Amino acid sequence: MYAVHLLFAGVWTGSVVFVTWGVLPTARNGDANAAPLASIVGKLKVVSRASALVLLLSGGHLAGTLYTVDSLTGGSRGHLVLTMVALWFLLAALVEIGASKLSGGFDEMKVREPAREARPVLIAASVVACLLLLNGGVLAGGIP
């Protein structure tokens, strides 16, 4: 279960970071067309939603088998797990908002303006995604 959880966390993080740092600058410069960007944003949404679902299920399983209510609320590991849940919700929301802003002008073949509007949201999503991986790494490292 750990492997599945970490695999989907890595794929989700990688896709968000790639779109933010690899695709978004191209769109902001106007070097990309709306049609390929629409496809990329669509795939980002699919990866994000699928990863969010798998992480909810696998994380719920892990939390249910490894923790009690007392251990979640009373110790440092539990606090890290609860922080991970909060970051998970935040990442899912930021990706949805950023993808919506980015795809907002595709019907009118606009790319630059939507990319500029989506940039701060997707940067925040990338930071949150990296914080999630860092949090997971601390948990995997065996913090008491």
Side-chain angles (χ1 to χ4, degrees):
M1 196 54 61
Y2 282 121
V4 170
H5 195 71
L6 292 175
L7 174 68
F8 276 86
V11 168
W12 195 11
T13 298
S15 65
V16 172
V17 170
F18 175 74
V19 169
T20 302
W21 301 106
V23 175
L24 204 55
T26 304
R28 285 180 51 224
N29 293 338
D31 294 335
N33 295 325
L37 285 175
S39 176
I40 291 168
V41 171
K43 289 175 184 165
L44 174 65
K45 287 179 182 179
V46 168
V47 166
S48 180
R49 291 171 183 171
S51 296
L53 178 62
V54 170
L55 289 172
L56 174 67
L57 296 174
S58 62
H61 173 75
L62 290 169
T65 57
L66 299 174
Y67 298 95
T68 64
V69 173
D70 289 337
S71 66
L72 281 173
T73 58
S76 56
R77 286 187 64 78
H79 292 154
L80 285 171
V81 171
L82 294 176
T83 299
M84 186 174 277
V85 172
L87 290 171
W88 174 87
F89 276 113
L90 184 57
L91 179 58
L94 288 170
V95 171
E96 288 295 322
I97 293 166
S100 177
K101 286 182 178 286
L102 186 55
S103 62
F106 291 165
D107 290 340
E108 296 88 30
M109 297 306 206
K110 292 182 180 179
V111 173
R112 289 182 190 155
E113 183 179 337
R116 277 192 294 274
E117 290 176 8
R119 184 175 185 263
V121 178
L122 290 175
I123 288 174
S126 291
V127 169
V128 169
C130 291
L131 288 173
L132 268 168
L133 281 185
L134 179 63
N135 189 338
V138 170
L139 279 168
I143 188 169

